[in-house]
Amino acid sequence: MKRRKFIERSLVMLAQFGVMGGIFRRAKAELKDYDPSKHYYGMGIQINKCIGCGKCVEACKAENGVPKEPFFFRTWVERYVIKKDNGVTVQSIDPRIERSYEAFAEKDILRSFFVPKLCNQCENPPCVQVCPVGATFKTADGVILVDADRCIGCRYCIQACPYGARYLNPETETADKCTFCYHRITKGLLPACVEVCPTQARIFGDVKSNASPLARFKRMNKIHVLKPSLNTEPKVTYSDLDGEVR
Amino acid sequence: MKNFFQRFPDSLIRIGAVFLLFVSAILFVRFIIPSSLKNEEEHVKATIERETSRSVRYAGSDVCADCHEEYNVKKLGYHRNLSCETCHGPAKEHSENPTETKPVVPKKREACSLCHTYNPSRPTGFPQINPVVHNPLKPCVTCHNPHDPKPPRVPQECQACHAEIARTKAVSPHVQLECTTCHTVPQQHKVIPREVKASIPGDRTFCGKCHSKDSPAKETPKVDISTHGEKYLCWQCHYPHMPEVE
């Protein structure tokens, strides 16, 4: 962004904040019966169960108003094909087009599987550290949120995220990402992607709870996270994770 | 107007102007800029409020139970893990106002084949068909109840459910062998396959029936099963449905 344009926009935005601030001061919809300090959320993903139907991607877009184009995602599903000649291809599948994925001769395939991805809601989030205006932060229940009103659309966080989980929303020109469907989970509903998953490849829950599907998932499986060497400590954990998954 | 200003000394006007600017700056910062932009705590609170007040579009399966019989039908069938809204799309609005808005009813074949088309990346064991040859042209719902999708009759061939294995075997050296040569299959396996299992050969001597040096079988390649392959089971090296020799 040019400096002049930036200043122009920030002036316009400041004025908008003023108006919005007024509105929000009145519309204080306090959530009753919800105490964020009593929760700490995480998600488990069983790769062996994912059938790559893309229902999660579709539901996420519908629930959160993510633009329909296939390069804006809060959650997405990658198809990995590891060929016998050791070549690896990764494609993001598009649920709108039935067989959008490239076809491979079956005899050339060594292994193949789907990997659902989303924001890892890291314990040590690099995106929070780089934000120059403090627009993104971690809530008491462990979810990383973006304040679209504060965000200036500089894209630092998009660059900093090692998982490619953020995108610049073309409508608001601010950074956007998965919130674990914060508006749903605070009302006791499941995130939309978990709600519609037909095979329960996604398991959502409280990492603090000892008797929950998530706790059981972690006890019964060998668990990995993506890019553990970066020390981001993701709260999204995977079972059956192949060594080729990046 | 001009006269009015001329009545004051020049310096007083300047001081006045500076003072006015100063006051309006304070007023601007104090009242126009919302406190959520100045105060960290307010900012976090405002963002959380904004997120939690977003509207929910997926109601969750249990809501449908109040009005629809399908809920109890689905609960026991193969689609028990599918949420109603996995197929019918977001239906929160419908559940609050059933006569005004209707969820989509996916009657087309494509809606089913999205999940059930054979794809080598899908986990083995997930029921898959080839929509080109599986009763083409007719909508799937003419034969399968979408809320309790049993195969409409008990299939006799193993191929109906183990298509991938059958296809593999069909081009392998074992093409002449019936599935039942190696597997004992109770009739009930074809009705409730997960409860009644087919048997799997137990040890090396099983393959030895045809492949050991002293076997009466003709035209089978022979090995000395007491030394060949050492302590391993034959199928740790040769996939029984496609016994390759490399």
Side-chain angles (χ1 to χ4, degrees), chain A residues 17-18 21 24-25 28 30-31 48-53 55 59 62-64 74 79 95 98-99 101 106 109 112-114 134-135 137 139 145-150 179 182-184 186-187 189 192 195-200, chain B residues 28 31-40 42-45 47-61 81-83 85-87 90 110-111 113-115 117-123 126 131-132 164 167:
Chain A
F17 288 151
F24 280 117
R25 218 165 289 162
K28 260 189 188 156
E30 280 281 323
L31 273 182
N48 275 359
K49 288 206 170 168
C50 179
I51 60 170
C53 63
K55 289 281 182 188
E63 180 74 30
N64 295 301
R74 281 183 170 204
R79 182 196 189 207
E98 194 187 330
R99 281 195 266 166
Y101 16 74
E106 214 163 305
I109 298 179
S112 184
F113 46 84
F114 296 102
F137 60 92
T139 61
L145 295 181
V146 184
D147 184 348
D149 281 350
R150 231 185 217 208
T179 61
Y182 202 67
H183 58 302
R184 297 176 62 87
T186 48
K187 298 186 183 78
L189 294 166
E195 173 66 33
V196 301
C197 178
T199 57
Q200 297 187 343
Chain B
F28 182 74
F31 293 107
I32 307 285
I33 300 181
S35 56
S36 69
L37 272 186
K38 293 174 286 185
N39 177 328
E40 241 0 81
E42 285 277 322
H43 145 67
V44 165
K45 222 171 134 202
T47 309
I48 288 178
E49 255 160 37
R50 204 172 315 135
E51 283 295 333
T52 49
S53 59
R54 299 204 353 222
S55 59
V56 168
R57 300 202 57 212
Y58 285 83
S61 249
N81 284 341
L82 273 69
S83 164
E85 289 162 306
T86 305
C87 297
E110 286 71 34
S113 52
L114 179 71
C115 290
T117 301
Y118 173 73
N119 180 326
S121 306
R122 295 205 154 133
F126 182 78
V132 179
E164 192 193 348
R167 267 204 313 256

Side-chain angles (χ1 to χ4, degrees), chain B residues 46-207:
Chain B
T47 309
I48 288 178
E49 255 160 37
R50 204 172 315 135
E51 283 295 333
T52 49
S53 59
R54 299 204 353 222
S55 59
V56 168
R57 300 202 57 212
Y58 285 83
S61 249
D62 296 340
V63 175
C64 322
D66 295 342
C67 305
H68 289 293
E69 265 305 300
E70 281 83 1
Y71 183 82
N72 290 322
V73 177
K74 187 179 72 69
K75 206 163 62 180
L76 302 171
Y78 282 109
H79 278 169
R80 61 180 168 274
N81 284 341
L82 273 69
S83 164
C84 308
E85 289 162 306
T86 305
C87 297
H88 290 294
K92 171 90 175 167
E93 266 177 61
H94 163 76
S95 65
E96 280 160 3
N97 202 344
T99 43
E100 296 278 294
T101 51
K102 298 272 169 58
V104 286
V105 179
K107 294 192 182 180
K108 290 229 186 77
R109 281 173 71 91
E110 286 71 34
C112 308
S113 52
L114 179 71
C115 290
H116 287 293
T117 301
Y118 173 73
N119 180 326
S121 306
R122 295 205 154 133
T124 44
F126 182 78
Q128 297 164 62
I129 49 140
N130 180 351
V132 179
V133 296
H134 185 83
N135 308 299
L137 302 178
K138 276 195 210 157
C140 315
V141 290
T142 50
C143 301
H144 304 281
N145 177 350
H147 306 124
D148 184 18
K150 292 189 279 269
R153 59 178 165 79
V154 176
Q156 286 313 303
E157 302 82 41
C158 318
Q159 190 177 357
C161 307
H162 298 292
E164 192 193 348
I165 292 175
R167 267 204 313 256
T168 309
K169 189 176 76 67
V171 294
S172 86
H174 275 165
V175 57
Q176 300 296 346
L177 309 188
E178 292 294 327
C179 303
T180 43
T181 324
C182 304
H183 298 290
T184 321
V185 184
Q187 185 57 29
Q188 280 299 94
H189 175 68
K190 297 175 184 172
V191 185
I192 39 173
R194 281 167 189 80
E195 277 101 277
V196 180
K197 296 250 167 116
S199 78
I200 280 176
D203 59 14
R204 309 168 51 99
T205 54
F206 176 83
C207 311

Side-chain angles (χ1 to χ4, degrees), chain A residues 6 12 35-36 49 117 124 144 153 155 173 176 203 226:
Chain A
F6 169 70
V12 171
D35 180 359
K49 288 206 170 168
K117 289 197 175 170
N124 309 318
I144 318 292
R155 293 164 224 231
E173 301 222 338
D176 192 29
I203 299 157
L226 297 176

